[in-house]
Coordinates of all heavy atoms in Angstrom, one line a residue:
T973 N -132.9 90.1 60.9 CA -134.3 89.8 60.6 C -134.5 88.3 60.5 O -135.5 87.7 61.0 CB -134.9 90.5 59.4 OG1 -134.6 91.9 59.6 CG2 -136.3 90.2 59.2
L974 N -133.6 87.6 59.8 CA -133.8 86.2 59.5 C -133.2 85.3 60.5 O -133.5 84.1 60.5 CB -133.1 86.0 58.1 CG -133.7 86.7 56.9 CD1 -132.8 86.6 55.7 CD2 -135.1 86.2 56.7
A975 N -132.3 85.8 61.4 CA -131.5 84.9 62.3 C -132.4 84.5 63.4 O -132.2 84.9 64.6 CB -130.3 85.6 62.8
L976 N -133.4 83.7 63.2 CA -134.3 83.2 64.2 C -133.8 81.9 64.8 O -134.3 81.4 65.8 CB -135.7 82.9 63.7 CG -136.3 84.2 63.0 CD1 -137.7 83.8 62.4 CD2 -136.5 85.3 64.1
T977 N -132.8 81.3 64.2 CA -132.3 80.0 64.7 C -130.9 80.0 65.3 O -130.4 79.0 65.7 CB -132.2 79.0 63.5 OG1 -131.3 79.6 62.6 CG2 -133.6 78.8 62.9
G978 N -130.3 81.2 65.5 CA -129.1 81.3 66.2 C -128.0 82.0 65.5 O -128.1 82.6 64.4
A979 N -126.8 82.1 66.2 CA -125.7 82.9 65.8 C -125.0 82.4 64.6 O -124.4 83.1 63.8 CB -124.7 83.0 67.0
V980 N -125.1 81.0 64.3 CA -124.4 80.5 63.2 C -125.0 81.0 61.9 O -124.3 81.4 61.0 CB -124.5 78.9 63.2 CG1 -124.0 78.3 61.9 CG2 -123.9 78.3 64.4
A981 N -126.3 81.1 61.8 CA -127.0 81.6 60.6 C -126.6 83.1 60.4 O -126.4 83.5 59.3 CB -128.5 81.5 60.7
L982 N -126.6 83.8 61.6 CA -126.2 85.2 61.5 C -124.8 85.4 60.9 O -124.5 86.3 60.1 CB -126.3 85.9 62.8 CG -125.9 87.4 62.9 CD1 -126.8 88.2 62.0 CD2 -126.0 87.9 64.4
T983 N -123.9 84.6 61.4 CA -122.5 84.6 61.0 C -122.4 84.3 59.5 O -121.7 85.0 58.7 CB -121.6 83.6 61.8 OG1 -121.7 83.9 63.2 CG2 -120.2 83.7 61.3
G984 N -123.1 83.3 59.0 CA -123.0 82.9 57.6 C -123.6 84.0 56.7 O -123.1 84.4 55.7
A985 N -124.7 84.6 57.2 CA -125.3 85.7 56.4 C -124.4 86.9 56.3 O -124.2 87.5 55.2 CB -126.7 86.1 57.1
G986 N -123.8 87.2 57.4 CA -122.9 88.4 57.4 C -121.7 88.2 56.5 O -121.3 89.1 55.8
A987 N -121.2 86.9 56.6 CA -120.0 86.6 55.8 C -120.3 86.7 54.3 O -119.5 87.3 53.5 CB -119.5 85.2 56.1
V988 N -121.4 86.1 53.9 CA -121.8 86.2 52.4 C -122.0 87.7 52.0 O -121.6 88.1 51.0 CB -123.0 85.3 52.2 CG1 -123.5 85.5 50.7 CG2 -122.7 83.9 52.4
A989 N -122.7 88.4 52.9 CA -123.0 89.8 52.5 C -121.8 90.6 52.4 O -121.6 91.4 51.5 CB -124.0 90.4 53.6
I990 N -120.8 90.5 53.4 CA -119.6 91.2 53.3 C -118.8 90.9 52.0 O -118.3 91.8 51.3 CB -118.7 91.0 54.6 CG1 -119.4 91.6 55.8 CG2 -117.3 91.5 54.4 CD1 -118.8 91.2 57.1
A991 N -118.7 89.6 51.8 CA -118.0 89.2 50.6 C -118.6 89.7 49.3 O -117.9 90.3 48.4 CB -117.9 87.6 50.5
G992 N -120.0 89.6 49.2 CA -120.7 90.1 48.1 C -120.5 91.6 47.9 O -120.3 92.1 46.8
A993 N -120.6 92.4 49.0 CA -120.4 93.8 48.9 C -119.0 94.2 48.5 O -118.8 95.1 47.6 CB -120.8 94.5 50.3
L994 N -118.0 93.5 49.0 CA -116.6 93.9 48.7 C -116.3 93.5 47.2 O -115.7 94.3 46.5 CB -115.7 93.1 49.6 CG -115.7 93.6 51.1 CD1 -114.8 92.7 51.9 CD2 -115.2 95.1 51.2
V995 N -116.8 92.4 46.8 CA -116.6 92.0 45.4 C -117.3 93.0 44.4 O -116.7 93.4 43.4 CB -117.1 90.5 45.1 CG1 -117.1 90.3 43.6 CG2 -116.2 89.5 45.8
S996 N -118.5 93.4 44.8 CA -119.2 94.3 44.0 C -118.5 95.7 43.9 O -118.4 96.3 42.8 CB -120.6 94.6 44.5 OG -121.4 93.4 44.5
A997 N -118.0 96.1 45.0 CA -117.2 97.4 45.1 C -116.0 97.3 44.2 O -115.6 98.2 43.5 CB -116.9 97.7 46.5
Y998 N -115.3 96.1 44.3 CA -114.1 95.9 43.6 C -114.4 96.0 42.0 O -113.7 96.6 41.3 CB -113.4 94.6 43.9 CG -112.2 94.3 43.1 CD1 -111.0 94.9 43.3 CD2 -112.3 93.3 42.0 CE1 -109.9 94.5 42.5 CE2 -111.3 93.0 41.2 CZ -110.0 93.6 41.5 OH -109.0 93.3 40.7
I999 N -115.4 95.3 41.7 CA -115.8 95.2 40.2 C -116.1 96.6 39.7 O -115.7 97.0 38.6 CB -117.0 94.2 40.0 CG1 -116.5 92.8 40.3 CG2 -117.5 94.3 38.6 CD1 -117.6 91.8 40.2
G1000 N -116.9 97.3 40.5 CA -117.2 98.7 40.1 C -116.0 99.6 39.9 O -115.9 100.3 38.9
W1001 N -115.1 99.4 40.8 CA -113.9 100.2 40.8 C -113.0 99.9 39.5 O -112.6 100.7 38.8 CB -113.1 100.0 42.1 CG -111.7 100.6 42.0 CD1 -111.4 102.0 41.9 CD2 -110.5 100.0 42.1 NE1 -110.1 102.2 41.9 CE2 -109.4 101.0 42.0 CE3 -110.1 98.6 42.2 CZ2 -108.1 100.6 42.1 CZ3 -108.7 98.3 42.3 CH2 -107.7 99.3 42.2
R1002 N -112.9 98.6 39.3 CA -112.1 98.1 38.1 C -112.8 98.5 36.8 O -112.1 98.8 35.8 CB -111.8 96.6 38.2 CG -110.9 96.1 39.3 CD -109.6 96.8 39.3 NE -108.9 96.6 38.0 CZ -107.9 97.3 37.6 NH1 -107.4 98.3 38.4 NH2 -107.3 97.1 36.4
A1003 N -114.1 98.4 36.8 CA -114.8 98.8 35.6 C -114.5 100.2 35.2 O -114.2 100.6 34.0 CB -116.3 98.6 35.8
M1004 N -114.6 101.1 36.2 CA -114.4 102.6 35.9 C -112.9 102.9 35.6 O -112.6 103.9 35.1 CB -114.9 103.4 37.0 CG -116.4 103.3 37.2 SD -117.3 103.5 35.6 CE -116.9 105.1 35.1
K1005 N -112.0 102.0 36.0 CA -110.6 102.1 35.7 C -110.3 101.7 34.3 O -109.2 101.8 33.8 CB -109.7 101.3 36.7 CG -109.5 102.0 38.0 CD -108.6 103.2 37.9 CE -108.3 103.8 39.2 NZ -107.4 105.0 39.1
G1006 N -111.3 101.2 33.6 CA -111.1 100.8 32.2 C -110.7 99.3 32.0 O -110.3 99.0 30.9
D1007 N -110.9 98.5 33.0 CA -110.5 97.1 32.9 C -111.4 96.4 31.8 O -112.7 96.4 32.0 CB -110.7 96.4 34.2 CG -110.0 95.0 34.3 OD1 -110.0 94.3 33.2 OD2 -109.5 94.6 35.3
E1008 N -110.8 95.8 30.8 CA -111.6 95.2 29.7 C -112.5 94.1 30.2 O -113.5 93.7 29.6 CB -110.7 94.7 28.6 CG -110.1 95.8 27.8 CD -111.1 96.7 27.1 OE1 -112.1 96.1 26.5 OE2 -111.0 97.9 27.1
K1009 N -112.1 93.4 31.3 CA -112.9 92.3 31.9 C -114.3 92.8 32.3 O -115.2 92.0 32.3 CB -112.2 91.7 33.0 CG -110.9 91.0 32.7 CD -110.3 90.2 33.9 CE -109.9 91.2 35.0 NZ -109.2 90.4 36.1
Y1010 N -114.4 94.0 32.6 CA -115.7 94.6 33.1 C -116.2 95.7 32.2 O -116.9 96.6 32.6 CB -115.6 95.1 34.5 CG -114.9 94.1 35.5 CD1 -113.6 94.4 35.9 CD2 -115.5 92.9 35.9 CE1 -112.9 93.5 36.7 CE2 -114.8 92.0 36.7 CZ -113.5 92.3 37.1 OH -112.9 91.4 37.9
A1011 N -115.8 95.6 30.9 CA -116.2 96.7 30.0 C -117.7 96.9 29.9 O -118.1 98.1 29.8 CB -115.6 96.4 28.6
F1012 N -118.4 95.8 29.8 CA -119.9 96.0 29.6 C -120.5 96.7 30.8 O -121.5 97.4 30.7 CB -120.6 94.7 29.2 CG -121.0 93.8 30.3 CD1 -122.3 93.9 30.7 CD2 -120.2 93.0 30.9 CE1 -122.8 93.1 31.7 CE2 -120.6 92.2 32.0 CZ -121.9 92.2 32.4
I1013 N -120.0 96.4 32.0 CA -120.5 97.1 33.2 C -120.2 98.6 33.1 O -121.1 99.4 33.4 CB -119.9 96.5 34.5 CG1 -120.4 95.1 34.7 CG2 -120.3 97.4 35.7 CD1 -119.8 94.4 35.9

Side-chain angles (χ1 to χ4, degrees):
T973 303
L974 298 169
L976 302 176
T977 59
V980 175
L982 176 60
T983 302
V988 173
I990 291 171
L994 291 175
V995 168
S996 298
Y998 173 79
I999 290 172
W1001 173 63
R1002 291 305 304 165
M1004 295 313 296
K1005 280 290 186 181
D1007 193 327
E1008 288 298 319
K1009 293 187 294 187
Y1010 311 109
F1012 87 97
I1013 292 178

